[in-house]
Amino acid sequence: MRKYPRPRKPTSSVAVIDIGSNSVRLVVYEALERSLVSIFNEKALCGLGREVQSTGLLAPDAVNKALMSLRRFHALCRVMKIGRVYAIATAACRDATNGADFIAKAERICRVPVDVLSGPREAHLAALGVVSSVHKPNGIVGDLGGGSLELTDVRGRRVHRGVTLPLGSLALQDASKTSLKHAERIVKDELSGAVPLKAGRGRTFYAVGGTWRALARIHIIQSGYPLRVMHGYSIPAADALDFVRRLRRLAASHTLADIEAVADARQPLLTYAALVLEYIILIAKPKTIMFSTYGVREGLLYSMLPAAERSRDGLICAAQSLNGLLSRSARHAEELIGWTDRLVRIAKLQETEDDRRLRYAACLLSDIGWRMHPDYRGEQTLNLIMNGNFGDIDHQGRTFIALSVFYRYVGPNEINEPSSVVRELVTPAMDERARILGAAFRVAHLISAARPGVLPATHFRSSGRKLKLVFEHRLVDLVADRVGGRFKQLARLVGRTGSIVRR
């Protein structure tokens, strides 16, 4: 069993005020830790950068709206008693000639320094946001804001130097004077020389930023995709190319306004975001487009963690936190990891490193539904995990964990099947592994009643095609027909016959 360090005791809450070129946002996190949990998130679409390209200035009405929002955000931080507040500003404030004056006013309101990020630093932090929330990322991070586009090559935890381009949706709208033909020429000229895109072929393009997330939301709705979680939503690049071209045709026919899934203030910018993504796909030739809800803010906080904390697995950290909050015994879940380790070894189950990681997370989450009504535990935990607010996992892995816990509550047979559209998110082999793991959970939790100290006193033995569960003498009274029935069901799922042995 791999020993994962327990999470540190959470410190005080932390907030980030993000003064972007399009939106001004306050996000409050429960604590500065490896797996961030946002407890408050509010934005105001102020459009600070909408005239910077043409006038060199932040628009006066946008400035007034932004300052009003900052007053509210400061008051909220005071009411919520936030431990630490960080403030950052991006392209519009660094490029506008009156940006320094606005920042001085913002600092007086927020009562904290406002860090005006340079282009390369903004690119680096956006890439760190993806590194913190995607398991073993390998591709190009593209952070599209209102004022700029940052592109950065990431490989695992290695982040290369990024570039910043004046292709933010507001900046492009302003520079092109709302001419899509002119905007297209600007995009082609800027992206054709973008060094990070040259290494994009066959890899993943990680799309960061609110307007690209709006595109993803439309795609999810139109395709009937069953999961509305934006982070980790992936589209084959060829499909994404068809989609953004179709979106541009809608804009040309003036039917884009009929899309209700996107805020009115963002709708005029969708066409420019689609245009940029289209040419990124054409030039970089990635294999997959993945949307990330983690970006500069999360990258900033990730950069503040000690190196040892940054190196921890974000999924396991999130699962440990939920285990501590919702399970009957955090220690029992850790013992369950060791118990299933022994099952995998003795039963000779095939498992990759990534499979093992998902199994560990499922063990940690296997008891989070115990307070729910017994008739709905399977369904409720399935929804809780499928829609959970955590990263470092793709939609397929998220579905596997959810199905494992679902089968733990309803049984691994075909009587109580989850929705077919949910099962379609995983391969048949993953669904089979989820059933086996769910069946194992049913045995383990029945034996132990989710109490620590019990599972370590049970052992697996294998003899030919027979799989045995051995109880130490002090636990023999826990053996019952129901335990034996569930263990035989588990054994059948792994292609064995099962029996209980009293030592």
Side-chain angles (χ1 to χ4, degrees):
M1 170 184 169
R2 179 177 175 182
K3 291 290 186 182
Y4 285 103
R6 295 298 302 167
R8 299 177 305 164
K9 185 177 180 180
T11 54
S12 59
S13 56
V14 59
V16 179
I17 296 172
D18 184 355
I19 305 171
S21 302
N22 189 27
S23 65
V24 177
R25 186 185 293 265
L26 168 70
V27 185
V28 180
Y29 302 91
E30 191 173 37
L32 177 56
E33 53 191 349
R34 177 63 183 87
S35 180
L36 293 170
V37 178
S38 62
I39 57 177
F40 184 85
N41 189 329
E42 182 177 315
K43 74 172 181 289
L45 293 170
C46 301
L48 279 172
R50 74 171 187 267
E51 298 175 3
V52 171
Q53 293 295 313
S54 56
T55 69
L57 298 170
L58 304 174
D61 62 320
V63 166
N64 291 335
K65 188 174 182 180
L67 294 176
M68 185 182 302
S69 298
L70 292 176
R71 289 187 186 93
R72 169 171 164 77
F73 292 167
H74 173 68
L76 284 167
C77 289
R78 190 174 64 248
V79 167
M80 298 176 73
K81 296 182 172 59
I82 305 302
R84 285 163 292 174
V85 178
Y86 300 96
I88 56 175
T90 53
C93 292
R94 70 173 173 255
D95 294 340
T97 54
N98 61 342
D101 179 63
F102 168 78
I103 291 298
K105 293 176 181 176
E107 289 180 334
R108 285 196 292 273
I109 291 171
C110 298
R111 299 182 189 176
V112 294
V114 177
D115 185 0
V116 182
L117 304 177
S118 67
R121 179 158 156 74
E122 185 178 356
H124 184 74
L125 292 180
L128 285 183
V130 170
V131 168
S132 75
S133 62
V134 175
H135 187 55
K136 297 180 180 178
N138 180 13
I140 311 301
V141 175
D143 181 10
L144 183 72
S148 61
L149 167 70
E150 281 69 43
L151 296 168
T152 312
D153 192 325
V154 296
R155 297 171 190 263
R157 292 195 181 94
R158 288 181 56 204
V159 177
H160 296 262
R161 183 174 176 81
V163 300
T164 185
L165 304 171
L167 296 179
S169 301
L170 281 175
L172 196 53
Q173 183 184 52
D174 186 22
S176 67
K177 297 180 171 54
T178 70
S179 166
L180 287 177
K181 286 188 177 180
H182 188 193
E184 189 168 359
R185 288 195 297 271
I186 295 171
V187 170
K188 288 171 68 175
D189 290 345
E190 292 285 351
L191 291 180
S192 60
V195 174
L197 294 184
K198 299 182 188 303
R201 181 183 287 272
R203 299 167 71 200
T204 299
F205 180 78
Y206 301 98
V208 177
T211 310
W212 271 341
R213 288 197 299 273
L215 291 180
R217 188 174 296 111
I218 296 169
H219 190 274
I220 285 173
I221 292 170
Q222 291 185 347
S223 63
Y225 189 74
L227 191 57
R228 296 296 175 94
V229 174
M230 208 64 60
H231 184 71
Y233 181 60
S234 298
I235 312 173
D239 292 352
L241 184 60
D242 290 342
F243 170 68
V244 293
R245 284 174 167 170
R246 188 168 69 250
L247 202 70
R248 288 184 60 196
R249 288 196 296 272
L250 287 175
S253 61
H254 305 289
T255 56
L256 196 59
D258 296 336
I259 297 174
E260 298 179 355
V262 180
D264 291 343
R266 281 210 193 274
Q267 286 194 8
L269 306 180
L270 290 176
T271 310
Y272 300 97
L275 177 62
V276 173
L277 186 55
E278 177 180 346
Y279 277 90
I280 284 173
I281 295 170
L282 291 173
I283 294 169
K285 296 179 171 56
K287 179 181 179 181
T288 304
I289 309 300
M290 177 182 283
F291 296 89
S292 171
T293 59
Y294 292 67
V296 171
R297 294 181 297 273
E298 293 75 21
L300 173 71
L301 298 181
Y302 178 75
S303 72
M304 296 176 181
L305 294 172
E309 191 74 4
R310 289 198 303 271
S311 67
R312 295 177 64 201
D313 188 317
L315 170 63
I316 299 299
C317 290
Q320 286 176 329
S321 296
L322 285 171
N323 173 38
L325 286 169
L326 302 176
S327 298
R328 284 172 286 184
S329 168
R331 205 177 102 208
H332 176 270
E334 298 285 356
E335 291 177 355
L336 183 58
I337 290 175
W339 193 80
T340 57
D341 276 341
R342 298 193 294 275
L343 172 64
V344 168
R345 185 177 65 255
I346 298 300
K348 293 183 171 56
L349 302 180
Q350 297 298 312
E351 189 178 64
T352 67
E353 182 182 344
D354 285 343
D355 294 339
R356 185 179 308 114
R357 174 178 180 262
L358 294 178
R359 172 168 59 83
Y360 285 4
C363 287
L364 291 166
L365 299 177
S366 66
D367 195 43
I368 62 173
W370 73 275
R371 286 185 180 273
M372 300 169 189
H373 189 283
D375 292 344
Y376 298 100
R377 284 174 185 160
E379 178 184 342
Q380 293 295 323
T381 52
L382 180 81
N383 290 332
L384 182 60
I385 296 170
M386 290 282 286
N387 298 290
N389 185 20
F390 49 84
D392 237 359
I393 188 170
D394 59 18
H395 283 198
Q396 192 175 64
R398 183 185 288 265
T399 306
F400 169 80
I401 294 173
L403 286 173
S404 299
V405 183
F406 174 83
Y407 291 134
R408 172 258 202 256
Y409 284 116
V410 306
N413 51 44
E414 297 180 357
I415 297 174
N416 299 308
E417 289 286 292
S419 165
S420 60
V421 293
V422 171
R423 289 179 58 204
E424 286 171 3
L425 296 177
V426 295
T427 64
M430 291 183 77
D431 183 58
E432 182 181 353
R433 287 206 317 275
R435 289 177 191 274
I436 292 171
L437 191 53
F441 290 162
R442 287 171 67 77
V443 175
H445 281 281
L446 182 61
I447 292 170
S448 64
R451 302 313 303 165
V454 178
L455 292 180
T458 63
H459 312 278
F460 295 101
R461 297 285 185 268
S462 180
S463 176
R465 301 304 299 169
K466 294 180 180 180
L467 184 66
K468 301 176 181 180
L469 180 59
V470 181
F471 282 73
E472 292 182 3
H473 179 73
R474 65 185 178 90
L475 295 181
V476 293
D477 288 342
L478 292 177
V479 177
D481 289 345
R482 197 173 180 210
V483 174
R486 285 193 179 181
F487 184 67
K488 288 177 181 178
Q489 183 182 50
L490 170 61
R492 283 196 299 273
L493 288 173
V494 299
R496 308 288 188 92
T497 59
S499 62
I500 301 290
V501 177
R502 297 170 177 84
R503 179 182 292 180

